[in-house]
Amino acid sequence: MRRSIVPSTSSALRHELISARRQAAPFICATCRRAAIQAPTNISRTPQRTFVTSPSRLQEPSTASQQQSPQQPGTNAQAPQTHYDFFPSTFPSGQPPNSPFTPDLKQLKKEYIQLQAKSHPDHAPAGQERHAEALSMRINEAYRTLSDPLKRAQYLLSLRGIDVEDESAKMSGGPLLMEVMEAREAVDEVEDEEGLTEIKAENDGRIAQSVGVLDEAFAREDVERAAEEAVRLRYWMNIEESIRGWEKGKGGGVIHH
């Protein structure tokens, strides 16, 4: 009876030992063992690359977009809305009444030349030549308008919804018309350049007086007074044009206004 118990106990212990060995050491085939022996020993030393996603980098523009060519004048997010916006150095405060009606003409011309040099179509990036040409035309128009007192006054009034042609119709008679007719006749009847010089000096005084009135009117935002004086100034500018076109024996030149 004792002999039958011992063999069975030994067999059970042997079975448990074999099972424990199988669980502790998983089976590896001969091919895998050879591959592990032949593999380089420094594989485990290779550092792993770590990829970190930064929210701030996702929101930043790419380097290529940051290195784009500088924008042409007038192509910023906020394009110039008026002629005055093209010349911030001459009109740092914008149009009247924030700035005087009569600007520093030397400063205006200087800024105009600099602006044209930067915006010339020949300097435009490829594919933007037409845009640069249109911009150059706008700059030219802005300079011609702001450098001339009559055009400047008419432009400011147009921004306020006033048409000088309509104002001219309201002032088609009266003392002003008589004064203008007399000035024109004087140009036609003068016989020499000496007499023409006197007429020119008199008309220059009229122009200067009108510009002075416009300075005050726009500074006070007196649009009605400014409109009336703009009409008056246009008549005096017509006389000036007639004086420039004067020829001896033929009278004054043709008026184009």
Side-chain angles (χ1 to χ4, degrees):
M1 189 73 178
R2 184 177 300 173
R3 290 180 180 178
S4 61
I5 296 174
V6 173
S8 60
T9 304
S10 176
S11 177
L13 291 174
R14 188 181 303 110
H15 178 72
E16 291 179 0
L17 179 61
I18 293 173
S19 300
R21 287 179 178 177
R22 289 179 178 176
Q23 294 176 0
F27 173 77
I28 301 176
C29 68
T31 303
C32 294
R33 286 198 297 270
R34 286 196 299 270
I37 294 173
Q38 295 176 0
T41 58
N42 59 350
I43 292 178
S44 60
R45 299 178 184 177
T46 304
Q48 295 182 349
R49 297 181 61 185
T50 303
F51 296 92
V52 179
T53 302
S54 173
S56 60
R57 289 180 61 88
L58 295 175
Q59 296 174 0
E60 293 176 356
S62 63
T63 304
S65 63
Q66 292 176 351
Q67 295 179 350
Q68 293 178 350
S69 58
Q71 292 180 330
Q72 294 290 323
T75 61
N76 294 329
Q78 184 176 1
Q81 301 298 313
T82 70
H83 291 342
Y84 288 84
D85 296 333
F86 282 105
F87 308 101
S89 297
T90 306
F91 305 100
S93 301
Q95 60 177 288
N98 299 323
S99 296
F101 170 74
T102 302
D104 184 341
L105 296 179
K106 291 184 179 180
Q107 171 62 30
L108 177 61
K109 184 175 182 179
K110 177 181 177 181
E111 190 172 8
Y112 163 71
I113 294 174
Q114 294 174 345
L115 188 59
Q116 275 291 39
K118 295 178 182 179
S119 61
H120 196 278
D122 292 345
H123 303 157
Q128 297 187 17
E129 293 83 359
R130 295 184 63 182
H131 171 77
E133 184 177 354
L135 175 62
S136 180
M137 293 176 62
R138 284 195 64 192
I139 294 171
N140 286 335
E141 180 186 0
Y143 175 73
R144 286 195 300 266
T145 299
L146 299 182
S147 60
D148 182 276
L150 176 60
K151 293 179 180 179
R152 192 188 320 129
Q154 292 173 333
Y155 175 71
L156 285 171
L157 290 170
S158 69
L159 293 179
R160 291 156 175 78
I162 297 177
D163 187 353
V164 176
E165 294 295 334
D166 294 339
E167 297 299 320
S168 298
K170 298 177 184 178
M171 302 176 63
S172 59
L176 175 61
L177 182 60
M178 294 297 299
E179 187 177 0
V180 171
M181 292 178 60
E182 291 175 358
R184 179 58 198 249
E185 290 176 0
V187 176
D188 290 337
E189 295 175 358
V190 69
E191 297 180 355
D192 52 36
E193 294 185 0
E194 183 178 355
L196 185 66
T197 301
E198 295 178 0
I199 295 175
K200 184 179 182 306
E202 184 178 359
N203 194 66
D204 288 345
R206 299 190 188 102
I207 293 175
Q209 183 178 2
S210 287
V211 171
V213 173
L214 288 170
D215 275 320
E216 296 180 2
F218 281 112
R220 298 176 180 176
E221 282 282 32
D222 189 346
V223 179
E224 183 177 355
R225 178 70 184 280
E228 293 177 356
E229 199 60 39
V231 173
R232 191 184 302 271
L233 178 59
R234 189 176 71 167
Y235 284 127
W236 304 143
M237 297 296 289
N238 287 346
I239 297 298
E240 182 182 53
E241 185 176 349
S242 177
I243 293 172
R244 286 199 301 265
W246 178 87
E247 294 182 19
K248 188 174 182 178
K250 296 182 180 181
V254 178
I255 297 176
H256 299 287
H257 287 290

